[in-house]
């Protein structure tokens, strides 16, 4: 999969996506990330990427020309683009199902807005999907773009060594994850549940299922429906 990220703050995005699972996805050739600095497509002495909103009001708005120019450049290189996603608090709220769905695409463009927003003409004509990562306002779309890429990278086929690992993540089947423990079995009197040391995989699976159900019921009852009570 190829992901092009358009941003006025490329430095925020650069380092972190080369680490951990997105980094591994890139070295395995499953993910190719290109970061585009909006300022390189701005003209004039000061290469302004934003301007005051027509009609007045607080904050600056990202100008349309550099974004359209940058997009033309992106379009000219590589395969057909499946979706142009604008990260914005008023988009559809991101979740595991959307991450899974996007992981099946071949090529995505992510547009990170900044300041007060982006000229509406970009949203009307270029953007095909608008996504929020939650009901709070960040100072820009860079962190949300990284959240999307991370969540997508870990479900790309061939990225996680243990292929079942992403599938047992919290949310992957609508339940939260069971608690995890590692050595030592006794840390200053804090002991690991016996069942996990028993070697009885049937009992361990049952225990984990029960833990997942209990935790989901307690913390996120909105994820359960009536049929889950007999889990
Ligand atoms: N930009 C600012 N806040 C955001 C959010 N919560 N989700 C996506 N993009 C954003």
């Amino acid at each position: 999969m190829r992901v092009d990220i358009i941003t006025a703050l490329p430095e925020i995005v650069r380092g972190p996506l080369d680490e951990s699972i997105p980094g591994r996805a890139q070295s395995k050739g499953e993910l190719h990330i290109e970061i585009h600095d909006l300022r390189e497509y701005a003209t004039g002495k000061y290469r302004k990427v934003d301007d005051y909103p027509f009609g007045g009001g607080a904050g600056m708005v990202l100008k349309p020309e550099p974004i359209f120019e940058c997009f033309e450049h992106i379009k000219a290189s590589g395969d057909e683009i499946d979706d142009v996603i604008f990260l914005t608090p008023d988009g559809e709220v991101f979740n595991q199902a959307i991450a899974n769905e996007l992981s099946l695409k071949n090529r995505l463009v992510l547009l990170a807005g900044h300041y007060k927003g982006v000229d509406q003409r970009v949203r009307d004509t270029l953007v095909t999907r608008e996504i929020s990562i939650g009901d709070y306002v960040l100072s820009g779309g860079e962190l949300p773009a990284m959240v999307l890429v991370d969540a997508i990278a870990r479900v790309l086929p061939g990225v996680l060594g243990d292929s079942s690992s992403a599938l047992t993540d919290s949310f992957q089947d609508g339940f939260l994850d069971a608690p995890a423990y590692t050595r030592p079995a006794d840390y200053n009197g804090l002991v690991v549940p016996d069942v996990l040391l028993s070697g009885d995989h049937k009992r361990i699976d049952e225990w984990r299922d029960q833990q997942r159900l209990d935790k989901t019921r307690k913390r996120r009852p909105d994820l359960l429906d009536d049929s889950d009570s007999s889990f």
Side-chain angles (χ1 to χ4, degrees):
M1 166 186 274
R2 172 167 164 173
V3 180
D4 292 86
I5 303 176
I6 304 175
T7 168
L9 295 171
E11 299 313 325
I12 296 184
V13 187
R14 231 160 234 145
L17 292 177
D18 290 339
E19 303 292 330
S20 190
I21 292 168
R24 197 189 309 171
Q26 290 189 79
S27 28
K28 287 192 163 188
E30 301 293 342
L31 178 64
H32 179 78
I33 300 172
E34 286 285 337
I35 297 164
H36 305 271
D37 182 354
L38 209 44
R39 215 163 290 278
E40 287 179 14
Y41 299 87
T43 52
K45 191 169 165 201
Y46 299 106
R47 291 189 170 266
K48 264 167 70 95
V49 293
D50 60 339
D51 211 333
Y52 294 100
F54 278 129
M60 303 289 268
V61 177
L62 284 181
K63 289 162 69 62
E65 308 97 306
I67 298 174
F68 280 106
E69 284 293 318
C70 180
F71 184 72
E72 283 308 314
H73 169 82
I74 290 172
K75 219 168 59 171
S77 64
D79 295 343
E80 199 176 320
I81 294 161
D82 293 304
D83 261 320
V84 180
I85 299 172
F86 176 49
L87 287 310
T88 172
D90 54 11
E92 62 181 314
V93 180
F94 191 55
N95 60 22
Q96 189 64 51
I98 299 174
N100 296 351
E101 183 198 334
L102 293 177
S103 75
L104 303 175
K105 309 272 184 184
N106 184 41
R107 190 165 181 210
L108 300 173
V109 175
L110 305 183
L111 172 61
H114 230 256
Y115 314 112
K116 191 64 195 162
V118 54
D119 189 284
Q120 185 61 35
R121 289 165 290 187
V122 171
R123 297 173 74 164
D124 290 343
T125 62
L126 209 63
V127 169
T128 59
R129 194 160 182 174
E130 301 196 334
I131 293 181
S132 161
I133 63 158
D135 291 339
Y136 41 84
V137 180
L138 299 166
S139 45
E142 283 74 17
L143 293 174
M146 287 156 66
V147 166
L148 252 69
V149 174
D150 191 296
I152 292 168
R154 58 181 295 110
V155 289
L156 286 175
V159 169
L160 287 187
D162 172 3
S163 62
S164 66
S165 174
L167 297 177
T168 58
D169 282 345
S170 280
F171 295 110
Q172 196 52 266
D173 59 4
F175 295 95
L176 302 184
D177 220 347
Y181 297 87
T182 187
R183 272 175 280 269
D186 182 338
Y187 175 69
N188 291 345
L190 298 171
V191 293
V192 171
D194 281 343
V195 59
L196 295 178
L197 309 175
S198 70
D200 181 341
H201 290 286
K202 186 164 171 289
R203 269 184 65 216
I204 292 171
D205 285 348
E206 284 167 2
W207 181 85
R208 286 189 171 140
D209 284 348
Q210 193 59 51
Q211 292 287 323
R212 300 174 74 221
L213 179 60
D214 290 348
K215 194 196 272 188
T216 310
R217 208 180 259 143
K218 205 162 152 198
R219 296 188 179 179
R220 293 295 305 274
D222 56 299
L223 296 175
L224 298 172
D225 61 36
D226 292 346
S227 62
D228 293 324
S229 55
S230 59
F231 194 111

